[in-house]
Amino acid sequence: MRLLRSLRRHLVVIAGLLTLAYMILPNLVVMVFSFNDPKGRFNYAWQTFSLDAWKDPCGVPGLCASLSVSLWTAGLATVGATVLGTMIAFALVRYRFRARGAVNSLVFLPMAMPEVVMAASLLTLFLNMGAELGFRTVLIAHIMFCIGFVVTAVKARVMSMDPRLEEAARDLYAGPVQTFLRVTLPIAAPGIAAGALLAFALSFDDFIITNFNAGSTVTFPMFVWGSAQRGTPVQINVIGTAMFVLAVAVVVLGRTVSGRRKSRAEK
């Protein structure tokens, strides 16, 4: 009986831990197999421990070139989607205009639409415009489908803002620019940062939309998919492990900075 009562009290915690373990397990497998020395083309069975792939992560032709393309695309798409998404979020929350409801629905449409439908639609648009498929079309496509996620994150933050803080700044003779830079932007910064990180992750990881509109451009997900047909090199696991560790470090750093700010505010 005690065991059942204990399980009932901690059921939510146990379910959360099991879900977290289920989500992290594939990343741990990738991490472990980044130290493998496979016998053959496929890195699917453990053989012997080796650091060769870590010593030469760019040893596979085209891997680091595709990684560079993905990083550039994700970086530029993040900047574009964050700027446009932030302005759209402020407009939807702060202003009332005739097409506000339609714009609000259209912004969320890319998130609800299957990626293959959006990819085919963008491809049709680019072909009808006579645009050459390549880096520019991929960048435009990534910005378009990332904007909705940025708007969602920023809009939630802006809606929770207390308008009296901005009114107090204006009462203290702060101009519109000063009010925005010193009051509005710092308060909205966590939502903007969350939207930017989400946009970067979605852009870097995307395959379907990129594959439709890339032309001869090869991103890292496309390189991984192509390599899987011939044999997955260990260096792919190395890059995946490095990206996972970097993402975890960014999240931990963000939580640490946020915790310190809250403790200072409470003091």
PDB file of all heavy atoms in Angstrom, residues 73-109:
ATOM      1  N   THR A  73      22.347  29.376 -43.442  1.00  0.00           N
ATOM      2  CA  THR A  73      20.909  29.456 -43.711  1.00  0.00           C
ATOM      3  C   THR A  73      20.128  29.667 -42.425  1.00  0.00           C
ATOM      4  O   THR A  73      19.237  30.531 -42.354  1.00  0.00           O
ATOM      5  CB  THR A  73      20.421  28.181 -44.414  1.00  0.00           C
ATOM      6  OG1 THR A  73      21.188  27.960 -45.601  1.00  0.00           O
ATOM      7  CG2 THR A  73      18.960  28.285 -44.779  1.00  0.00           C
ATOM      8  N   ALA A  74      20.443  28.878 -41.400  1.00  0.00           N
ATOM      9  CA  ALA A  74      19.727  28.995 -40.133  1.00  0.00           C
ATOM     10  C   ALA A  74      19.966  30.358 -39.486  1.00  0.00           C
ATOM     11  O   ALA A  74      19.033  30.960 -38.934  1.00  0.00           O
ATOM     12  CB  ALA A  74      20.154  27.874 -39.189  1.00  0.00           C
ATOM     13  N   GLY A  75      21.204  30.852 -39.558  1.00  0.00           N
ATOM     14  CA  GLY A  75      21.509  32.147 -38.966  1.00  0.00           C
ATOM     15  C   GLY A  75      20.760  33.287 -39.639  1.00  0.00           C
ATOM     16  O   GLY A  75      20.130  34.123 -38.976  1.00  0.00           O
ATOM     17  N   LEU A  76      20.818  33.321 -40.962  1.00  0.00           N
ATOM     18  CA  LEU A  76      20.126  34.385 -41.701  1.00  0.00           C
ATOM     19  C   LEU A  76      18.606  34.249 -41.578  1.00  0.00           C
ATOM     20  O   LEU A  76      17.896  35.256 -41.443  1.00  0.00           O
ATOM     21  CB  LEU A  76      20.546  34.346 -43.170  1.00  0.00           C
ATOM     22  CG  LEU A  76      22.022  34.676 -43.453  1.00  0.00           C
ATOM     23  CD1 LEU A  76      22.340  34.489 -44.935  1.00  0.00           C
ATOM     24  CD2 LEU A  76      22.342  36.106 -43.021  1.00  0.00           C
ATOM     25  N   ALA A  77      18.111  33.022 -41.631  1.00  0.00           N
ATOM     26  CA  ALA A  77      16.668  32.820 -41.481  1.00  0.00           C
ATOM     27  C   ALA A  77      16.201  33.230 -40.087  1.00  0.00           C
ATOM     28  O   ALA A  77      15.100  33.780 -39.933  1.00  0.00           O
ATOM     29  CB  ALA A  77      16.316  31.354 -41.740  1.00  0.00           C
ATOM     30  N   THR A  78      17.022  32.987 -39.081  1.00  0.00           N
ATOM     31  CA  THR A  78      16.673  33.389 -37.718  1.00  0.00           C
ATOM     32  C   THR A  78      16.572  34.899 -37.600  1.00  0.00           C
ATOM     33  O   THR A  78      15.636  35.437 -37.003  1.00  0.00           O
ATOM     34  CB  THR A  78      17.715  32.847 -36.727  1.00  0.00           C
ATOM     35  OG1 THR A  78      17.727  31.417 -36.785  1.00  0.00           O
ATOM     36  CG2 THR A  78      17.400  33.284 -35.310  1.00  0.00           C
ATOM     37  N   VAL A  79      17.544  35.602 -38.177  1.00  0.00           N
ATOM     38  CA  VAL A  79      17.517  37.070 -38.129  1.00  0.00           C
ATOM     39  C   VAL A  79      16.275  37.600 -38.850  1.00  0.00           C
ATOM     40  O   VAL A  79      15.532  38.437 -38.314  1.00  0.00           O
ATOM     41  CB  VAL A  79      18.797  37.658 -38.749  1.00  0.00           C
ATOM     42  CG1 VAL A  79      18.698  39.182 -38.852  1.00  0.00           C
ATOM     43  CG2 VAL A  79      20.020  37.276 -37.927  1.00  0.00           C
ATOM     44  N   GLY A  80      16.043  37.123 -40.068  1.00  0.00           N
ATOM     45  CA  GLY A  80      14.896  37.598 -40.831  1.00  0.00           C
ATOM     46  C   GLY A  80      13.574  37.270 -40.172  1.00  0.00           C
ATOM     47  O   GLY A  80      12.690  38.129 -40.049  1.00  0.00           O
ATOM     48  N   ALA A  81      13.404  36.019 -39.721  1.00  0.00           N
ATOM     49  CA  ALA A  81      12.148  35.606 -39.104  1.00  0.00           C
ATOM     50  C   ALA A  81      11.928  36.309 -37.768  1.00  0.00           C
ATOM     51  O   ALA A  81      10.790  36.660 -37.423  1.00  0.00           O
ATOM     52  CB  ALA A  81      12.132  34.089 -38.908  1.00  0.00           C
ATOM     53  N   THR A  82      13.006  36.536 -37.014  1.00  0.00           N
ATOM     54  CA  THR A  82      12.865  37.195 -35.710  1.00  0.00           C
ATOM     55  C   THR A  82      12.453  38.653 -35.869  1.00  0.00           C
ATOM     56  O   THR A  82      11.578  39.150 -35.150  1.00  0.00           O
ATOM     57  CB  THR A  82      14.180  37.099 -34.921  1.00  0.00           C
ATOM     58  OG1 THR A  82      14.537  35.719 -34.757  1.00  0.00           O
ATOM     59  CG2 THR A  82      14.039  37.734 -33.557  1.00  0.00           C
ATOM     60  N   VAL A  83      13.080  39.358 -36.795  1.00  0.00           N
ATOM     61  CA  VAL A  83      12.732  40.771 -37.016  1.00  0.00           C
ATOM     62  C   VAL A  83      11.289  40.894 -37.505  1.00  0.00           C
ATOM     63  O   VAL A  83      10.482  41.649 -36.944  1.00  0.00           O
ATOM     64  CB  VAL A  83      13.705  41.411 -38.027  1.00  0.00           C
ATOM     65  CG1 VAL A  83      13.241  42.813 -38.406  1.00  0.00           C
ATOM     66  CG2 VAL A  83      15.112  41.476 -37.446  1.00  0.00           C
ATOM     67  N   LEU A  84      10.935  40.135 -38.542  1.00  0.00           N
ATOM     68  CA  LEU A  84       9.584  40.213 -39.078  1.00  0.00           C
ATOM     69  C   LEU A  84       8.547  39.687 -38.079  1.00  0.00           C
ATOM     70  O   LEU A  84       7.478  40.290 -37.901  1.00  0.00           O
ATOM     71  CB  LEU A  84       9.503  39.420 -40.385  1.00  0.00           C
ATOM     72  CG  LEU A  84      10.327  39.956 -41.557  1.00  0.00           C
ATOM     73  CD1 LEU A  84      10.254  38.994 -42.736  1.00  0.00           C
ATOM     74  CD2 LEU A  84       9.844  41.339 -41.976  1.00  0.00           C
ATOM     75  N   GLY A  85       8.853  38.576 -37.425  1.00  0.00           N
ATOM     76  CA  GLY A  85       7.913  37.999 -36.469  1.00  0.00           C
ATOM     77  C   GLY A  85       7.672  38.889 -35.271  1.00  0.00           C
ATOM     78  O   GLY A  85       6.538  38.983 -34.775  1.00  0.00           O
ATOM     79  N   THR A  86       8.722  39.563 -34.794  1.00  0.00           N
ATOM     80  CA  THR A  86       8.558  40.478 -33.659  1.00  0.00           C
ATOM     81  C   THR A  86       7.669  41.657 -34.029  1.00  0.00           C
ATOM     82  O   THR A  86       6.772  42.047 -33.262  1.00  0.00           O
ATOM     83  CB  THR A  86       9.929  40.978 -33.190  1.00  0.00           C
ATOM     84  OG1 THR A  86      10.735  39.854 -32.792  1.00  0.00           O
ATOM     85  CG2 THR A  86       9.784  41.934 -32.014  1.00  0.00           C
ATOM     86  N   MET A  87       7.887  42.231 -35.201  1.00  0.00           N
ATOM     87  CA  MET A  87       7.042  43.354 -35.629  1.00  0.00           C
ATOM     88  C   MET A  87       5.594  42.918 -35.816  1.00  0.00           C
ATOM     89  O   MET A  87       4.663  43.641 -35.431  1.00  0.00           O
ATOM     90  CB  MET A  87       7.600  43.941 -36.915  1.00  0.00           C
ATOM     91  CG  MET A  87       8.947  44.638 -36.743  1.00  0.00           C
ATOM     92  SD  MET A  87       9.460  45.595 -38.182  1.00  0.00           S
ATOM     93  CE  MET A  87       9.734  44.283 -39.374  1.00  0.00           C
ATOM     94  N   ILE A  88       5.384  41.732 -36.387  1.00  0.00           N
ATOM     95  CA  ILE A  88       4.019  41.230 -36.575  1.00  0.00           C
ATOM     96  C   ILE A  88       3.348  40.995 -35.227  1.00  0.00           C
ATOM     97  O   ILE A  88       2.167  41.322 -35.031  1.00  0.00           O
ATOM     98  CB  ILE A  88       4.043  39.944 -37.411  1.00  0.00           C
ATOM     99  CG1 ILE A  88       4.501  40.238 -38.833  1.00  0.00           C
ATOM    100  CG2 ILE A  88       2.660  39.288 -37.434  1.00  0.00           C
ATOM    101  CD1 ILE A  88       4.729  38.999 -39.678  1.00  0.00           C
ATOM    102  N   ALA A  89       4.086  40.428 -34.263  1.00  0.00           N
ATOM    103  CA  ALA A  89       3.520  40.152 -32.945  1.00  0.00           C
ATOM    104  C   ALA A  89       3.095  41.440 -32.252  1.00  0.00           C
ATOM    105  O   ALA A  89       1.997  41.513 -31.676  1.00  0.00           O
ATOM    106  CB  ALA A  89       4.543  39.398 -32.091  1.00  0.00           C
ATOM    107  N   PHE A  90       3.939  42.462 -32.303  1.00  0.00           N
ATOM    108  CA  PHE A  90       3.579  43.744 -31.689  1.00  0.00           C
ATOM    109  C   PHE A  90       2.369  44.361 -32.382  1.00  0.00           C
ATOM    110  O   PHE A  90       1.485  44.929 -31.730  1.00  0.00           O
ATOM    111  CB  PHE A  90       4.768  44.709 -31.745  1.00  0.00           C
ATOM    112  CG  PHE A  90       5.682  44.606 -30.570  1.00  0.00           C
ATOM    113  CD1 PHE A  90       6.806  43.801 -30.610  1.00  0.00           C
ATOM    114  CD2 PHE A  90       5.429  45.306 -29.406  1.00  0.00           C
ATOM    115  CE1 PHE A  90       7.663  43.697 -29.530  1.00  0.00           C
ATOM    116  CE2 PHE A  90       6.273  45.208 -28.307  1.00  0.00           C
ATOM    117  CZ  PHE A  90       7.392  44.399 -28.368  1.00  0.00           C
ATOM    118  N   ALA A  91       2.329  44.246 -33.699  1.00  0.00           N
ATOM    119  CA  ALA A  91       1.195  44.813 -34.442  1.00  0.00           C
ATOM    120  C   ALA A  91      -0.105  44.105 -34.085  1.00  0.00           C
ATOM    121  O   ALA A  91      -1.153  44.750 -33.914  1.00  0.00           O
ATOM    122  CB  ALA A  91       1.458  44.714 -35.941  1.00  0.00           C
ATOM    123  N   LEU A  92      -0.065  42.774 -33.949  1.00  0.00           N
ATOM    124  CA  LEU A  92      -1.280  42.024 -33.646  1.00  0.00           C
ATOM    125  C   LEU A  92      -1.778  42.279 -32.231  1.00  0.00           C
ATOM    126  O   LEU A  92      -2.981  42.232 -31.969  1.00  0.00           O
ATOM    127  CB  LEU A  92      -1.034  40.522 -33.841  1.00  0.00           C
ATOM    128  CG  LEU A  92      -0.823  40.050 -35.279  1.00  0.00           C
ATOM    129  CD1 LEU A  92      -0.447  38.575 -35.305  1.00  0.00           C
ATOM    130  CD2 LEU A  92      -2.081  40.279 -36.114  1.00  0.00           C
ATOM    131  N   VAL A  93      -0.871  42.563 -31.300  1.00  0.00           N
ATOM    132  CA  VAL A  93      -1.262  42.773 -29.911  1.00  0.00           C
ATOM    133  C   VAL A  93      -1.625  44.232 -29.638  1.00  0.00           C
ATOM    134  O   VAL A  93      -2.615  44.527 -28.954  1.00  0.00           O
ATOM    135  CB  VAL A  93      -0.136  42.325 -28.959  1.00  0.00           C
ATOM    136  CG1 VAL A  93      -0.481  42.659 -27.504  1.00  0.00           C
ATOM    137  CG2 VAL A  93       0.107  40.831 -29.098  1.00  0.00           C
ATOM    138  N   ARG A  94      -0.866  45.148 -30.183  1.00  0.00           N
ATOM    139  CA  ARG A  94      -1.010  46.564 -29.816  1.00  0.00           C
ATOM    140  C   ARG A  94      -1.986  47.347 -30.687  1.00  0.00           C
ATOM    141  O   ARG A  94      -2.455  48.398 -30.277  1.00  0.00           O
ATOM    142  CB  ARG A  94       0.366  47.236 -29.877  1.00  0.00           C
ATOM    143  CG  ARG A  94       1.382  46.679 -28.864  1.00  0.00           C
ATOM    144  CD  ARG A  94       0.968  47.041 -27.449  1.00  0.00           C
ATOM    145  NE  ARG A  94       1.894  46.540 -26.452  1.00  0.00           N
ATOM    146  CZ  ARG A  94       2.996  47.178 -26.067  1.00  0.00           C
ATOM    147  NH1 ARG A  94       3.334  48.325 -26.656  1.00  0.00           N
ATOM    148  NH2 ARG A  94       3.754  46.673 -25.123  1.00  0.00           N
ATOM    149  N   TYR A  95      -2.270  46.877 -31.893  1.00  0.00           N
ATOM    150  CA  TYR A  95      -3.063  47.677 -32.820  1.00  0.00           C
ATOM    151  C   TYR A  95      -4.316  46.923 -33.251  1.00  0.00           C
ATOM    152  O   TYR A  95      -4.350  45.691 -33.293  1.00  0.00           O
ATOM    153  CB  TYR A  95      -2.243  48.061 -34.051  1.00  0.00           C
ATOM    154  CG  TYR A  95      -1.020  48.888 -33.709  1.00  0.00           C
ATOM    155  CD1 TYR A  95       0.232  48.288 -33.589  1.00  0.00           C
ATOM    156  CD2 TYR A  95      -1.116  50.261 -33.498  1.00  0.00           C
ATOM    157  CE1 TYR A  95       1.355  49.035 -33.265  1.00  0.00           C
ATOM    158  CE2 TYR A  95       0.000  51.016 -33.189  1.00  0.00           C
ATOM    159  CZ  TYR A  95       1.231  50.399 -33.059  1.00  0.00           C
ATOM    160  OH  TYR A  95       2.334  51.147 -32.739  1.00  0.00           O
ATOM    161  N   ARG A  96      -5.332  47.695 -33.569  1.00  0.00           N
ATOM    162  CA  ARG A  96      -6.578  47.147 -34.096  1.00  0.00           C
ATOM    163  C   ARG A  96      -6.738  47.629 -35.534  1.00  0.00           C
ATOM    164  O   ARG A  96      -6.774  48.830 -35.792  1.00  0.00           O
ATOM    165  CB  ARG A  96      -7.783  47.634 -33.264  1.00  0.00           C
ATOM    166  CG  ARG A  96      -7.738  47.182 -31.810  1.00  0.00           C
ATOM    167  CD  ARG A  96      -7.899  45.668 -31.694  1.00  0.00           C
ATOM    168  NE  ARG A  96      -7.909  45.245 -30.292  1.00  0.00           N
ATOM    169  CZ  ARG A  96      -6.846  44.873 -29.623  1.00  0.00           C
ATOM    170  NH1 ARG A  96      -5.654  44.888 -30.224  1.00  0.00           N
ATOM    171  NH2 ARG A  96      -6.937  44.493 -28.364  1.00  0.00           N
ATOM    172  N   PHE A  97      -6.841  46.710 -36.468  1.00  0.00           N
ATOM    173  CA  PHE A  97      -7.015  47.072 -37.872  1.00  0.00           C
ATOM    174  C   PHE A  97      -7.968  46.069 -38.512  1.00  0.00           C
ATOM    175  O   PHE A  97      -8.270  45.008 -37.950  1.00  0.00           O
ATOM    176  CB  PHE A  97      -5.681  47.119 -38.615  1.00  0.00           C
ATOM    177  CG  PHE A  97      -4.795  45.925 -38.389  1.00  0.00           C
ATOM    178  CD1 PHE A  97      -4.830  44.823 -39.231  1.00  0.00           C
ATOM    179  CD2 PHE A  97      -3.906  45.905 -37.309  1.00  0.00           C
ATOM    180  CE1 PHE A  97      -4.022  43.732 -39.027  1.00  0.00           C
ATOM    181  CE2 PHE A  97      -3.088  44.805 -37.089  1.00  0.00           C
ATOM    182  CZ  PHE A  97      -3.143  43.717 -37.944  1.00  0.00           C
ATOM    183  N   ARG A  98      -8.448  46.387 -39.696  1.00  0.00           N
ATOM    184  CA  ARG A  98      -9.550  45.650 -40.316  1.00  0.00           C
ATOM    185  C   ARG A  98      -9.200  44.188 -40.560  1.00  0.00           C
ATOM    186  O   ARG A  98     -10.018  43.306 -40.325  1.00  0.00           O
ATOM    187  CB  ARG A  98      -9.946  46.334 -41.627  1.00  0.00           C
ATOM    188  CG  ARG A  98     -11.120  45.686 -42.334  1.00  0.00           C
ATOM    189  CD  ARG A  98     -11.570  46.505 -43.511  1.00  0.00           C
ATOM    190  NE  ARG A  98     -12.024  47.835 -43.101  1.00  0.00           N
ATOM    191  CZ  ARG A  98     -12.426  48.771 -43.950  1.00  0.00           C
ATOM    192  NH1 ARG A  98     -12.402  48.532 -45.265  1.00  0.00           N
ATOM    193  NH2 ARG A  98     -12.835  49.938 -43.499  1.00  0.00           N
ATOM    194  N   ALA A  99      -8.018  43.907 -41.056  1.00  0.00           N
ATOM    195  CA  ALA A  99      -7.657  42.533 -41.425  1.00  0.00           C
ATOM    196  C   ALA A  99      -6.894  41.816 -40.307  1.00  0.00           C
ATOM    197  O   ALA A  99      -6.202  40.834 -40.560  1.00  0.00           O
ATOM    198  CB  ALA A  99      -6.812  42.538 -42.695  1.00  0.00           C
ATOM    199  N   ARG A 100      -7.054  42.284 -39.078  1.00  0.00           N
ATOM    200  CA  ARG A 100      -6.282  41.710 -37.968  1.00  0.00           C
ATOM    201  C   ARG A 100      -6.584  40.228 -37.771  1.00  0.00           C
ATOM    202  O   ARG A 100      -5.682  39.410 -37.571  1.00  0.00           O
ATOM    203  CB  ARG A 100      -6.592  42.481 -36.691  1.00  0.00           C
ATOM    204  CG  ARG A 100      -5.842  42.004 -35.450  1.00  0.00           C
ATOM    205  CD  ARG A 100      -6.054  42.966 -34.301  1.00  0.00           C
ATOM    206  NE  ARG A 100      -5.444  42.478 -33.088  1.00  0.00           N
ATOM    207  CZ  ARG A 100      -6.079  41.736 -32.176  1.00  0.00           C
ATOM    208  NH1 ARG A 100      -7.361  41.422 -32.371  1.00  0.00           N
ATOM    209  NH2 ARG A 100      -5.468  41.313 -31.093  1.00  0.00           N
ATOM    210  N   GLY A 101      -7.856  39.848 -37.819  1.00  0.00           N
ATOM    211  CA  GLY A 101      -8.217  38.447 -37.635  1.00  0.00           C
ATOM    212  C   GLY A 101      -7.681  37.555 -38.734  1.00  0.00           C
ATOM    213  O   GLY A 101      -7.192  36.452 -38.474  1.00  0.00           O
ATOM    214  N   ALA A 102      -7.747  38.059 -39.978  1.00  0.00           N
ATOM    215  CA  ALA A 102      -7.232  37.263 -41.102  1.00  0.00           C
ATOM    216  C   ALA A 102      -5.722  37.096 -41.006  1.00  0.00           C
ATOM    217  O   ALA A 102      -5.195  36.009 -41.251  1.00  0.00           O
ATOM    218  CB  ALA A 102      -7.609  37.942 -42.419  1.00  0.00           C
ATOM    219  N   VAL A 103      -5.015  38.171 -40.645  1.00  0.00           N
ATOM    220  CA  VAL A 103      -3.554  38.095 -40.499  1.00  0.00           C
ATOM    221  C   VAL A 103      -3.192  37.127 -39.383  1.00  0.00           C
ATOM    222  O   VAL A 103      -2.254  36.324 -39.503  1.00  0.00           O
ATOM    223  CB  VAL A 103      -2.967  39.495 -40.235  1.00  0.00           C
ATOM    224  CG1 VAL A 103      -1.482  39.396 -39.910  1.00  0.00           C
ATOM    225  CG2 VAL A 103      -3.178  40.402 -41.437  1.00  0.00           C
ATOM    226  N   ASN A 104      -3.931  37.193 -38.292  1.00  0.00           N
ATOM    227  CA  ASN A 104      -3.665  36.303 -37.163  1.00  0.00           C
ATOM    228  C   ASN A 104      -3.814  34.840 -37.573  1.00  0.00           C
ATOM    229  O   ASN A 104      -3.039  33.976 -37.144  1.00  0.00           O
ATOM    230  CB  ASN A 104      -4.634  36.630 -36.025  1.00  0.00           C
ATOM    231  CG  ASN A 104      -4.072  36.265 -34.667  1.00  0.00           C
ATOM    232  OD1 ASN A 104      -2.937  35.815 -34.561  1.00  0.00           O
ATOM    233  ND2 ASN A 104      -4.857  36.449 -33.637  1.00  0.00           N
ATOM    234  N   SER A 105      -4.802  34.547 -38.409  1.00  0.00           N
ATOM    235  CA  SER A 105      -5.001  33.175 -38.874  1.00  0.00           C
ATOM    236  C   SER A 105      -3.939  32.754 -39.873  1.00  0.00           C
ATOM    237  O   SER A 105      -3.438  31.621 -39.833  1.00  0.00           O
ATOM    238  CB  SER A 105      -6.390  33.042 -39.510  1.00  0.00           C
ATOM    239  OG  SER A 105      -7.404  33.359 -38.582  1.00  0.00           O
ATOM    240  N   LEU A 106      -3.564  33.665 -40.772  1.00  0.00           N
ATOM    241  CA  LEU A 106      -2.572  33.338 -41.792  1.00  0.00           C
ATOM    242  C   LEU A 106      -1.199  33.092 -41.183  1.00  0.00           C
ATOM    243  O   LEU A 106      -0.420  32.288 -41.704  1.00  0.00           O
ATOM    244  CB  LEU A 106      -2.496  34.462 -42.830  1.00  0.00           C
ATOM    245  CG  LEU A 106      -3.707  34.589 -43.764  1.00  0.00           C
ATOM    246  CD1 LEU A 106      -3.569  35.830 -44.633  1.00  0.00           C
ATOM    247  CD2 LEU A 106      -3.840  33.352 -44.638  1.00  0.00           C
ATOM    248  N   VAL A 107      -0.898  33.788 -40.084  1.00  0.00           N
ATOM    249  CA  VAL A 107       0.405  33.608 -39.439  1.00  0.00           C
ATOM    250  C   VAL A 107       0.550  32.186 -38.917  1.00  0.00           C
ATOM    251  O   VAL A 107       1.630  31.579 -38.996  1.00  0.00           O
ATOM    252  CB  VAL A 107       0.576  34.637 -38.300  1.00  0.00           C
ATOM    253  CG1 VAL A 107       1.723  34.245 -37.391  1.00  0.00           C
ATOM    254  CG2 VAL A 107       0.832  36.019 -38.877  1.00  0.00           C
ATOM    255  N   PHE A 108      -0.520  31.631 -38.382  1.00  0.00           N
ATOM    256  CA  PHE A 108      -0.467  30.289 -37.809  1.00  0.00           C
ATOM    257  C   PHE A 108      -0.672  29.197 -38.850  1.00  0.00           C
ATOM    258  O   PHE A 108      -0.496  28.017 -38.545  1.00  0.00           O
ATOM    259  CB  PHE A 108      -1.527  30.148 -36.708  1.00  0.00           C
ATOM    260  CG  PHE A 108      -1.256  30.998 -35.505  1.00  0.00           C
ATOM    261  CD1 PHE A 108      -1.922  32.195 -35.327  1.00  0.00           C
ATOM    262  CD2 PHE A 108      -0.312  30.619 -34.569  1.00  0.00           C
ATOM    263  CE1 PHE A 108      -1.673  32.988 -34.222  1.00  0.00           C
ATOM    264  CE2 PHE A 108      -0.046  31.396 -33.460  1.00  0.00           C
ATOM    265  CZ  PHE A 108      -0.731  32.588 -33.284  1.00  0.00           C
ATOM    266  N   LEU A 109      -1.016  29.573 -40.062  1.00  0.00           N
ATOM    267  CA  LEU A 109      -1.266  28.573 -41.098  1.00  0.00           C
ATOM    268  C   LEU A 109      -0.044  27.711 -41.412  1.00  0.00           C
ATOM    269  O   LEU A 109      -0.176  26.488 -41.544  1.00  0.00           O
ATOM    270  CB  LEU A 109      -1.780  29.256 -42.365  1.00  0.00           C
ATOM    271  CG  LEU A 109      -2.317  28.339 -43.471  1.00  0.00           C
ATOM    272  CD1 LEU A 109      -3.491  27.526 -42.948  1.00  0.00           C
ATOM    273  CD2 LEU A 109      -2.746  29.166 -44.676  1.00  0.00           C
TER     274      LEU A 109
END
